[in-house]
Amino acid sequence: MAVAGVLLLARSIKLTSKFISPSEIPKEFIKNNVKLRGRLHRVTEKGLELEHIPIHIPLISSWRKQPCGVLLIKLAGVELTEAGHLWLRKELKPFQVLWFQLLARDNSSLLCCLLVNRGMYFTVSLNEEILRRGLGKTILIKELDHNSRVYWTIHKNLLKAELKAIRRGEGIWKEDTEKSSYIEKYKGSWREIWSKDHSFKRRLLWELDPKRKSFYERLKSQCEKCKDKLSNSGFMLKVREFLSRVKLGKR
C-alpha cells in the first residue's frame, strides 16, 4: 500500500515527467520561474535544443518509460550576433547538462535564462556572460509582466553586463561609432521606461551608478551576489524543482 501510494503521488504531481514540448509545461512552472535541468543536443540559429532531465527516483524512474524529444530554448533578453552563435557552439559541449529558468513561452519555444555550472556550488548566467563578452545586445522581454520583480531584476542584470562590455570595448563595442550610437539609443529607450511610476526605478538607477554607492551599499551588493551564487548551486536547484512539483501536485 505504501509503494502504491508513492506511485500515485508521483503520477499526480508529475514528479518524474519529462517535458518534450512547451505546451506540456504547467503554467504554474512558468509563473513561478522554475529552474529545470536539460541536456544539450545542439546549438541552432533558432536557439538551443535541450532534452529535459526529470527528477530521478530509483524505483519509480526506472519503472516509467520516458518519451523522446527536445525543447527549443531561446536566451531571454539577448539578441545574439554571428560571433555569439559561434562562441556558443565552441563553449558548450554536446550532452552538457544546463539549468534553464522558465520565463515565458514564445510559440513553439521557451524564453529562459540559462545557467552553466562552474564548479560544484556555483553557476554562471549564460545570458549575462554573452553580453559581458560583447557577443550580443540586450532586448526587452515583452512576454514578461513589466510590473513584476522578475522582469526588472533580469533586465537590470543584463543591462549591467552589457555596460561592462561597452566600457571595456569588448566584441561588437570595439568601434567608438557603434558604441556612441547605441548608448544614445539605449538612453532614450530606457529613460522612457523608467519615467513611468515604478517601485524599482530608483533602486535600479542607484545600482547602475557605482560611484554613488556607499561602503554599505557595496558590501550589501557583494553579499547579494554571494547569496545568488549559493542559491543557484546544483543541490539547491534540484531541491527547488522538487518542491515546485510537490506544490503543483497539492493544487
Side-chain angles (χ1 to χ4, degrees):
M1 291 179 65
V3 173
V6 172
L7 292 175
L8 290 175
L9 176 63
R11 183 177 180 181
S12 64
I13 63 177
K14 297 183 178 181
L15 192 61
T16 59
S17 298
K18 179 179 179 180
F19 305 128
I20 60 174
S21 69
S23 59
E24 295 179 355
I25 299 177
K27 295 181 180 179
E28 289 79 5
F29 277 32
I30 298 179
K31 182 179 179 180
N32 296 325
N33 308 123
V34 174
K35 296 174 184 176
L36 303 174
R37 282 192 307 162
R39 185 178 290 107
L40 178 66
H41 276 227
R42 61 171 181 164
V43 179
T44 67
E45 294 296 329
K46 295 181 179 180
L48 288 78
E49 293 183 353
L50 296 180
E51 180 184 0
H52 174 229
I53 303 175
I55 295 176
H56 179 76
I57 299 178
L59 294 177
I60 301 176
S61 299
S62 59
W63 169 76
R64 185 172 185 177
K65 186 178 180 181
Q66 299 290 359
C68 297
V70 294
L71 297 170
L72 181 60
I73 307 296
K74 293 182 180 179
L75 295 171
V78 178
E79 182 183 355
L80 276 172
T81 61
E82 185 63 29
H85 285 286
L86 294 176
W87 182 83
L88 282 176
R89 293 189 179 97
K90 181 180 179 181
E91 183 71 14
L92 301 178
K93 301 177 182 178
F95 305 108
Q96 182 176 351
V97 176
L98 306 173
W99 287 90
F100 54 100
Q101 182 181 13
L102 302 172
L103 297 180
R105 289 191 182 96
D106 183 18
N107 296 326
S108 60
S109 61
L110 294 168
L111 294 177
C112 303
C113 286
L114 283 172
L115 302 174
V116 183
N117 287 328
R118 290 289 185 265
M120 184 175 181
Y121 298 105
F122 299 102
T123 57
V124 176
S125 172
L126 198 60
N127 306 51
E128 298 175 20
E129 185 66 21
I130 288 174
L131 294 176
R132 275 193 293 266
R133 294 174 177 268
L135 301 175
K137 296 181 180 180
T138 57
I139 56 176
L140 293 177
I141 309 175
K142 299 179 181 180
E143 292 78 5
L144 276 179
D145 181 12
H146 291 195
N147 295 320
S148 65
R149 185 183 185 88
V150 174
Y151 176 87
W152 288 98
T153 300
I154 290 176
H155 278 293
K156 178 197 69 174
N157 294 334
L158 294 178
L159 184 59
K160 290 171 68 175
E162 186 177 51
L163 288 176
K164 288 183 180 179
I166 293 176
R167 294 193 187 102
R168 297 172 183 174
E170 298 283 348
I172 58 177
W173 310 115
K174 291 181 179 180
E175 298 182 4
D176 293 335
T177 55
E178 179 73 16
K179 185 189 302 184
S180 59
S181 62
Y182 182 73
I183 289 178
E184 290 300 323
K185 180 181 178 181
Y186 142 79
K187 284 182 178 179
S189 60
W190 283 88
R191 187 184 296 114
E192 181 181 353
I193 296 173
W194 287 340
S195 63
K196 299 179 181 179
D197 185 15
H198 200 278
S199 58
F200 300 106
K201 180 176 64 176
R202 293 184 179 180
R203 180 183 174 188
L204 288 169
L205 292 173
W206 182 270
E207 291 184 357
L208 287 176
D209 190 358
K211 295 181 180 179
R212 298 174 58 183
K213 287 185 179 181
S214 62
F215 174 77
Y216 171 75
E217 291 293 333
R218 291 196 298 270
L219 181 62
K220 183 179 178 181
S221 177
Q222 292 296 327
C223 291
E224 289 179 352
K225 289 181 180 179
C226 293
K227 183 179 178 181
D228 291 338
K229 288 182 179 180
L230 291 175
S231 63
N232 288 330
S233 62
F235 175 75
M236 290 303 299
L237 291 175
K238 291 180 181 179
V239 171
R240 287 182 180 177
E241 181 183 357
F242 176 79
L243 293 177
S244 299
R245 289 176 179 266
V246 173
K247 186 177 180 181
L248 177 63
K250 291 181 179 180
R251 291 181 179 179

